[in-house]
Amino acid sequence: MGEACKAAGVLFCVDAIQAVGALRFDVEEIQCDFAMADGHKWLLGPEGLGFFYVREERMIDLSLNEYGWHMIKHAGDYNQASWEVADTAMRFECGSPNLLAAHALHASTSLLLNTGIENVEAAVLSKADSLCGLLSDAGAEIITPAHSRGRSGIVTFGTNGRSPKEVWQALMSKGVICMHRGGGIRFSPHFHTPLYRLQQAVSIAAEECLW
């Protein structure tokens, strides 16, 4: 897709929130012009802080619609009399940084990097594969398309005619963290989720859905 957009002169923007922190993600490899993600999902960080990547040669193509003290050259030099927008991507961060969230996100990304993103990816995909097996063995309908398995840590399954929202509420009340999406229930185990927790979650889901 990146190659096709580049050949056609089309800007390529990627919402990477379901990839970064779980899978290897290389902006150069996919040839995107922009990418962004919040830190509260696979990056294991708090809500309220994320990242925005822009290819250097594309920075001047973006209009600036908000202005503040943090986006200027030499921010922090309160003696400068001129106002000049920063040459770097700092020009898009006009307000005061969320320092508390930054420290938390630094800690979570350090955990991922110290583990190794290749190891994280392998574990996430292995957990998703194990989850599909457990659900299938329990009699559940796997909604997640077979062709997408091995590319994501997200697994969605059917609720056997019951309202996905009601099943979600029941599972959450029993300590099973999940979400109702796409006409079913979504499980998203991360690399650190123990296999026995997945087994427990599937067992509880089987009781609720009567597979």
Side-chain angles (χ1 to χ4, degrees), residues 4 11 40 50 54 57 60-61 77 81 85 122 133 141 151 168 172:
L11 295 179
H40 73 275
V54 53
E57 58 267 30
I60 60 174
D61 296 334
D77 178 4
V85 175
E141 172 200 5
R151 297 180 178 88
W168 164 70
M172 290 288 285

Side-chain angles (χ1 to χ4, degrees), residues 1-85:
M1 188 179 292
E3 290 177 357
C5 288
K6 187 175 182 180
V10 174
L11 295 179
F12 184 27
C13 180
V14 178
D15 178 357
I17 196 168
Q18 295 292 6
V20 177
L23 309 174
R24 285 169 289 182
F25 184 81
D26 188 331
V27 294
E28 295 298 334
E29 182 180 357
I30 66 175
Q31 302 183 49
C32 67
D33 297 291
F34 316 103
M36 69 288 296
D38 201 297
H40 73 275
K41 289 197 175 182
W42 297 99
L43 283 171
L44 303 174
E47 291 193 353
L49 185 68
F51 73 84
F52 171 62
Y53 162 81
V54 53
R55 190 172 295 279
E56 187 173 4
E57 58 267 30
R58 294 299 185 187
M59 283 198 296
I60 60 174
D61 296 334
L62 298 181
S63 300
L64 299 175
N65 298 306
E66 294 186 52
Y67 294 84
W69 73 277
H70 202 253
M71 65 188 293
I72 62 174
K73 281 186 177 180
H74 313 298
D77 178 4
Y78 304 109
N79 294 318
Q80 58 179 320
S82 62
W83 174 280
E84 191 173 356
V85 175

Side-chain angles (χ1 to χ4, degrees), residues 70-148:
H70 202 253
M71 65 188 293
I72 62 174
K73 281 186 177 180
H74 313 298
D77 178 4
Y78 304 109
N79 294 318
Q80 58 179 320
S82 62
W83 174 280
E84 191 173 356
V85 175
D87 297 324
T88 66
M90 194 171 184
R91 60 172 46 207
F92 304 119
E93 189 172 357
C94 56
S96 298
N98 185 348
L99 293 178
L100 182 60
H103 282 289
L105 187 59
H106 178 267
S108 64
T109 52
S110 294
L111 170 65
L112 294 168
L113 292 173
N114 289 336
T115 302
I117 193 62
E118 296 85 1
N119 297 324
V120 170
E121 179 181 277
V124 166
L125 298 182
S126 175
K127 299 290 170 60
D129 187 58
S130 296
L131 188 54
C132 285
L134 291 168
L135 287 164
S136 295
D137 290 345
E141 172 200 5
I142 307 297
I143 296 177
T144 301
H147 69 265
S148 73

Side-chain angles (χ1 to χ4, degrees), residues 143 156-174 176-187 208-209:
I143 296 177
T156 304
F157 57 91
T159 54
N160 197 25
R162 285 200 60 191
S163 163
K165 186 174 182 180
E166 290 180 1
V167 174
W168 164 70
Q169 291 173 331
L171 292 177
M172 290 288 285
S173 70
K174 295 181 179 180
V176 179
I177 306 302
C178 57
M179 183 49 67
H180 56 99
R181 289 286 188 272
I185 297 296
R186 171 193 288 181
F187 281 172
E208 292 297 330
C209 298

